[in-house]
Amino acid sequence: MIQKKYSPFLSFVRKEFFHIFRDRWTSIILLIMPILMIILFGFAITTEVKNAKIAIFDPSQDAATHAIVDKLSTSEYFTIETYVYSQNEMDNLFRKRNIGLIVVFSEHFYENMMHGGDAKIQLIADGSDPNYAYTLTQYASALLGSYQQENISHNFNPPFQIETTIKMLYNPTLKGAYNTVPGVLGMVLMLICAMMTSISIAREKEFGNMEVLLVSPLKPITIILSKTVPYIVLSLINFTSIMLLAVFALKVPIVGNILLIALISLIFIFLSLALGLLISTIVKTQIVAMLISGVVLMFPVILLSGMIFPVESMGVFFQYLAKVLPANWYIAAIRKVMIQGLGISSVSKELIVLISMAVLLIAISIKKFKVRIE
Amino acid sequence: MIQVEHIEKKYAKVNALQNISLHVNKGEIFGIIGPDGSGKTTLFRILSTVLLADKGKACINGWDVVKDYRIIRNHIGYMPGRFSLYQDLSVEENLQFFASIFKTSIESNYYLIKDIYQQLEPFKKRRAGALSGGMKQKLALCCALIHKPDLLFLDEPTTGVDPVSRKELWDMLKRLKSEGVTILVSTSYMDEAARCDRIALMMKGKFLIADTPSNIVNQYNEKLWAVSSDAMAKLLIDLKNYPFIKNYYAFGDLHHITMQANSKSDIELQHDLHEYLEKLKHQELFISNIKASIEDCFMALTGGSSDTLHTTKNYE
């Protein structure tokens, strides 16, 4: 019957770990799901394009159009499936064949190009799968861009301007995993910190434990810290395992400074914890905590982070919405550092936004933490 | 030890507490007795500083429950009505946890909980969620006691507990009292009232009466009769229709009634009722003048039915 006297804080943290590891689903969500997510998003849900079937409508049939078609067909991304010769044919093409993209040249293309005239290329994609369509047009644009680059070096001054995206520049092989790793990282940290913390506090309320904890000499800050420290530890474990998987399984190199990545992640962890605390102050049951963190936090991260669906192809409202999501700032910063290898000065804007959000949310959630029930 | 002056609390449209005043002395076992929904839990929450009252003032040991809640929380033990331990922690881990958040250890106050905890010890590795109702309440009591509070709030500690365990819990409270712990306990079991030093009968957010159990019983100034026959359900209806009836209710195996005041003697009253019931074909009739219990006092005070109360017979 002789037992040691534990400090309230350590004893509380120990109790939290008991809760986590004694519930099978909690431990699965916290330790197995992040790994499954990175593998799933990294391998299965890939937005990479390889040998996409395209069709060409080329009324000009001149040196320039042949060169461009050559460039498209020799790339590993596209296979020229067919040539079309009339507008009517084009209409049926998407329906009848498995065509992803039609490249349409204007008439007298080379002539117009050389004489500063109106040389145009139209890319027609199948919008029923907007994500795939967007990716195809991006790839095609990139290839057209490089054709343009080559011609500039030959002292041509072609009138067509094609945008290329930064993503392509720093992801030369156009691997989907480059985009996925920061996204999954943001999602997992959000899941563990915000969702699991809010659920675990809601659980104390639901089972009436909070009442007893409040009627004890524990300070609110001790309760908050004890509830969050285990999730910080688990977040760091997951951060490490995702990084290792990214490098060794998905072959995504960490170009930038790993310490900087860890620092940004730590700020984001605190931010997410504050969000979780905030949610737990307004809910009373675990199920509501889960729904709120799922709908308010997880969905937007999945949908608006650009991980699966390009934000650029969404409405203005969603683009603004994407801007206020903490996870997007985090993912953007991680992309810059991890994939592009940029330093701290390049992510200063993201860091400032994340730190201010974190400080604000922590302040609100500690202030809102109730020392009484109701 | 506890001083409550004119406390009021409203939930949406329900008056949970209406003008409650209460004084509990040091070292006293004070029972709050009333049916479910009478406001007992609300009162306990206000006194244990986790809920704010709308009006009124309450002090614990001279400390205000609103202003000085932090000091109060160092000195009280609170056992809510709902089972409030961690179901996925073992008996021992629960006790250990509650000892440590009160900055104490199990062994330093072990003597206080020893008698109960010894019964739990064979199951100390078992998860609290797998314990029986009585065991859970014993563990919850141990956890509320482990820091040796000056004042103990027990909200329905015996609800859902078997009669043997209920007796053990009350024996335990008696011993705590001898250690100088003041206890405020609520219950909906009328028979437990007699084990308190003083009780308050509570109904719909109001105190009907607050006194020692014997004083309350002595205050009962009506003639009470117990009646039974071979057809108890019919008997209650027939009693209802008896012209001289005042109050009637089922009380365990018997019906208790009071009759309108008149000049007749007890023998005459008994005889008249016997005759009336015999005409209605009741057999094995039993009519007897009895001494009132706390529950009869409660019935007299409310003038209503006691179906939400746990009468003496209900749990046996």
Side-chain angles (χ1 to χ4, degrees), chain B residues 122-133:
Chain B
F123 314 107
K124 66 180 184 184
K125 298 284 174 207
R126 189 183 287 187
R127 304 267 164 99
L131 292 175
S132 69

Side-chain angles (χ1 to χ4, degrees), chain A residues 3 11 22 204 209 211 371, chain B residues 73 78 84 86 100 107:
Chain A
Q3 269 163 332
S11 180
R22 285 186 185 172
E204 302 264 0
N209 303 118
E211 230 174 303
V371 293
Chain B
R73 288 177 183 184
Y78 173 43
S84 55
Y86 295 100
S100 71
E107 61 271 20

